[in-house]
Amino acid sequence: MARNKFDIDENLESPFNIRHFRRAIVYIKKQKTPMIVAFVLSALSAGIALSAPLIMQHVVDVTIPEKDTLSLVGWSAVTLATIVISVILATIRSRIMTRVGQDIIFEIRTDLFKHLQELPFQYYDDRPQGKILIRVVNYVNSVSDVLSNGIINFILEILNLLFIAAFMFAVDVKLSLVILAGLPVFIAVILLIKTRQRRAWQAVSNKSSNLNAYLQESISGIRVTQIFTREKRNEGIFTRLSVNYRSAWMKTMYLNFLVPFSVDNLTTMVTTAIFFVGLLAMGPEEATFGVILAMSSYASRFWQPILNLSNIYNSFVNSVAYLERIFETLDEPVTVSDVPKARELPPIQGSVSFDDVTFAYDPGLNILENLSFNVKAGESIALVGPTGAGKTTVVNLLSRFYNVTGGKILIDGHDISEVKLKSLRSQMGIMLQDSFIFSGTILDNIRYGKLDATEEEVIAAAKTVCADDFIREFEKGYLTEVNERGSKLSQGQRQLISFARTLLADPRILILDEATSSIDAQTERLLQKGLNELLKGRTSFIIAHRLSTVRNCDRILYVADRGVAESGSHDQLIAKQGRYYKLHTAQKMEA
């Protein structure tokens, strides 16, 4: 399924089952002690509140007829005390559960973020960032209350029902049966709409995810939008997605409101039936006016927990849709990870061998096929060729951002699929085409991959790549704050800072993917001097479309037709007058 579009609903890979909820219990168990305290407080508060109808019955049937003013004042004070104590206990419980809910959010969100950090590039290739973000933020927020308050409230409301039923039957059995007569109707309503509710909430989840994905994409691409005056067109797309979300939400709300609507009407009918049965059918001998008032109060109290349970049920159905998304993310396989018994990659010299390597992003569509070549330690290798031929794929496989489909890749004779990822990547310096700058200071960005680097080491790396001069032109120099993605910097400046970040790691294997594409010719000439010193003794892979930047490499690999079509030095390939010669000639004519 094409999941990497904002306007396509994400169908769940597997249907929800109770196992998902049992997994959620793991987070609840960590908050067991405060939840037990909150439950006890809730039970005490509810038990104290249930005494009010009995007090009312006694006052109506005994205290008022006897005109006992002193007792009336006493019972009023007792009633007020029950209300105050009940409110105090409920407030303490609410504060406890607020903290519990936030702790559960923290645990789930931390697990999600940790897992997302480990997922391979392929996962992010397949879906918009907005659909990932909404799971970590919105969906986790949505399930926290159900996993904290929802559990306690469910148990508490069940106990409330039992307590209320006990009080009811203690007051009058026949009128209690009248109150219970509405239950079969309510159960029928729940059974009728439960499947439709779950599907409706899944639709809301899908439309919300789509809307969030498009919003994130639009914000990221706002400059392009304004350049091409696409505002009206994009507004139309956003409106369509918003309308879809609103329609899904309204349909869900119609179903949700059926439950409280049913409870409200059943409460009214049951209360009416109590007065009818109590006053007309049973008579004052069997049911005094105090008994009828107490039972009508208990009727309202009996259906209130049922209404609360129905709301908890609605929240649970809602949260089920979100839990499915959350656990689907947590269940995403980490396909690029340390294999069992993976070993540390020792300090390397830098020899690299591709041994019959085949790779496909999508099954059956090979990008590389039976690719084999050897690189000696310290050699500089240029990868050139047409767009989409697989140049970046070669270095991505060497960095093990993806697993090879077939064959193997060796560094100093070690199969990289059998060594620990951290030990592999810590000895490689990789600068990808996207010069990503994080929010923070320039110093922090350069030191991103080597946190223990001194300020002097940072400055030395910046000087090597000719970034020191423009950094010092800022008022705060290396302590200058930059925005997310480095929006305050030019593309060339971002690339030079990324270059310094890569070089600071002092790697044995250096990968430069279009490293100088956004740098002017004068800066590139200055940078090349520093690079020539840096590349000495290091194995390097350099991808470049401008052939002038790679002509001094030890070897040039022309990547095409799912493999290496030509290989040799610049002079050798020019003399061969093959594909590289034609590309070189074409660029000279364009210049």
Side-chain angles (χ1 to χ4, degrees), residues 426-586:
S426 64
Q427 300 189 65
M428 304 180 73
I430 307 166
M431 184 173 172
L432 302 176
Q433 289 173 313
D434 183 14
S435 303
F436 195 94
I437 300 296
F438 296 90
S439 58
T441 66
I442 293 176
L443 181 71
D444 290 337
N445 267 279
I446 296 177
R447 197 157 47 190
Y448 187 82
K450 190 179 180 183
L451 298 178
D452 59 346
T454 64
E455 188 171 341
E456 290 73 21
E457 289 175 321
V458 170
I459 294 172
K463 285 181 177 179
T464 301
V465 300
C466 304
D468 182 68
D469 289 341
F470 84 80
I471 292 174
R472 292 187 183 277
E473 290 178 1
F474 291 116
E475 183 178 351
K476 295 184 178 180
Y478 285 84
L479 298 180
T480 300
E481 294 280 342
V482 291
N483 296 337
E484 180 184 357
R485 302 190 70 89
S487 58
K488 289 184 177 180
L489 304 170
S490 71
Q491 176 62 27
Q493 289 172 333
R494 291 199 297 270
Q495 206 153 12
L496 289 175
I497 289 173
S498 298
F499 224 135
R501 178 169 60 201
T502 301
L503 304 186
L504 184 61
D506 192 23
R508 300 306 306 163
I509 296 178
L510 187 64
I511 295 174
L512 308 176
D513 190 345
E514 290 296 324
T516 59
S517 61
S518 299
I519 299 173
D520 60 80
Q522 182 179 358
T523 304
E524 184 181 356
R525 283 193 294 272
L526 293 172
L527 175 61
Q528 195 64 48
K529 295 177 181 178
L531 281 179
N532 289 338
E533 291 299 317
L534 180 74
L535 296 179
K536 289 180 180 178
R538 289 183 173 85
T539 306
S540 58
F541 291 82
I542 303 172
I543 299 175
H545 284 100
R546 288 189 299 193
L547 300 186
S548 59
T549 63
V550 300
R551 63 182 301 158
N552 294 325
C553 289
D554 295 324
R555 195 159 22 127
I556 298 171
L557 305 183
Y558 189 98
V559 182
D561 301 330
R562 297 187 292 278
V564 176
E566 293 180 356
S567 175
S569 67
H570 171 78
D571 293 337
Q572 288 172 337
L573 294 179
I574 290 297
K576 188 177 181 180
Q577 295 192 357
R579 298 189 186 189
Y580 178 82
Y581 171 80
K582 292 179 181 179
L583 181 62
H584 182 265
T585 303

Side-chain angles (χ1 to χ4, degrees), residues 336-394:
V336 179
S337 62
D338 293 340
V339 297
K341 297 183 180 180
R343 61 184 184 277
E344 292 283 339
L345 180 65
I348 61 174
Q349 296 300 311
S351 66
V352 174
S353 296
F354 275 62
D355 185 3
D356 200 29
V357 170
T358 296
F359 176 75
Y361 291 104
D362 299 308
L365 299 174
N366 290 342
I367 301 297
L368 300 173
E369 204 167 83
N370 306 120
L371 174 64
S372 296
F373 64 86
N374 297 308
V375 177
K376 297 177 182 177
E379 265 194 302
S380 58
I381 303 296
L383 300 173
V384 302
T387 300
K391 303 183 295 296
T392 298
T393 300
V394 170

Side-chain angles (χ1 to χ4, degrees), residues 29 62 78 101 116 280 322 330 390 419 449 487 516 558:
K29 285 182 178 179
V62 179
V78 171
L116 287 171
L280 299 180
Y322 296 142
L330 287 172
V419 301
S487 58
T516 59
Y558 189 98

Side-chain angles (χ1 to χ4, degrees), residues 101-117:
Q102 288 302 309
D103 287 344
I104 289 175
I105 285 177
F106 174 80
E107 292 285 346
I108 296 177
R109 191 168 286 152
T110 299
D111 286 349
L112 269 173
F113 184 76
K114 180 180 178 182
H115 190 66
L116 287 171
Q117 295 286 292

